[in-house]
Every structure is written in C-alpha cells, then in structure tokens.
Amino acid sequence: MVDRPRLIAPEIAEQYGVSIHTVTKTWAQHPAWPDHVDKRGRYKEYAARDIADFVRDHVERQAVTLEPRRLYTAQQLEDAGIGIKAGTIRADLTRGRWPKPDDTEGGANRWFGATATQALATRRGYRKADS
C-alpha cells in the first residue's frame, strides 16, 4: 500500500513560497483549512492533495481578462473579479504599490486594462490566464 504524501507546516511554507507564519496563522485559521491526518513531531501533518486543493480554491486568484484599451475605475476592476477590493487598489496607489492612473479626467482615477493586468502579474497569488 502506498501512502499519500503528507506535509507539515514548514514543508507547506517552502512548497508554496510563503512564511510559516502565513501557513499557521493565516491559512490554517481559514474555515476551509483541511483537517490534519496525523502528527510528525510537534507539527500536524496534512494530506498534500488537501493542501493543494485549499491553495487552489482559497489562495490563488484566477487571472481575469481585461480589455487592454478600456479605462477602468478601481470599483470597476473589483467588479470585474480581479480579486482585489477597490479600497485595496486605492490604498496601494497611495503606498506606491499600484501604478499611477492612466487617466484622471473628472477627478476619477482610471487605468487601462493593460496597465491593471501588468500590475496584477507582479502580485503574489495570481495564475496566468489560460491561453
């Protein structure tokens, strides 16, 4: 009989490129976090497949296709399903973590879809759009 691979928190962190703190204090606190299947030393062991399913369903954000030459407000980007709230875009803009708007006519910040897509590509947790 072949055992399914099992992972403990440090291995999960290494495999997914996050800190152990993210695994134990953020992911493991999520209601959908899988039940452990055993213990190894002081760590709980989880089925690798269950962890992969959790990351796919609750951590990774599916890339959306935006119209490259269309202008979007922060709210329109949120509504398009990019996985980021409009308030986060505004806060990140203030902190220099989101590109300056391509257009500010009428006092509204707007970005071309191509600009937003490029910004999203540099954020952690986004899958590449399917070709």
Side-chain angles (χ1 to χ4, degrees), residues 16 18 20 34 37-38 47 71 76 82-83 93 98 107 110 113 121 129:
Y16 291 98
V18 297
I20 191 166
V37 293
D38 207 348
L71 287 167
Q76 289 169 330
I82 66 169
L93 175 63
W98 188 261
R110 295 183 297 179

Side-chain angles (χ1 to χ4, degrees), residues 63-86 89-90 93 98-105 107-120:
V64 298
T65 303
L66 299 172
E67 296 174 39
R69 298 300 304 160
R70 177 183 166 194
L71 287 167
Y72 294 85
T73 64
Q75 186 61 54
Q76 289 169 330
L77 289 169
E78 177 184 339
D79 294 345
I82 66 169
I84 301 174
K85 300 279 187 190
I89 293 171
R90 292 182 196 104
L93 175 63
W98 188 261
K100 292 184 180 189
D102 295 306
D103 181 72
T104 58
E105 186 176 324
N109 291 334
R110 295 183 297 179
W111 296 265
F112 284 118
T115 303
T117 299
Q118 184 176 8
L120 293 170

Side-chain angles (χ1 to χ4, degrees), residues 1-8 11 15-16 34-40 44-54 56:
M1 179 178 183
V2 176
D3 286 332
R4 294 181 62 183
R6 296 179 178 175
L7 300 170
I8 59 175
E11 295 166 342
Q15 181 169 335
Y16 291 98
D35 292 331
H36 69 282
V37 293
D38 207 348
K39 282 192 83 168
R40 187 183 337 151
K44 295 176 181 177
E45 271 188 321
Y46 299 92
R49 181 79 242 151
D50 292 346
I51 298 301
D53 291 345
F54 173 83
R56 182 196 63 237

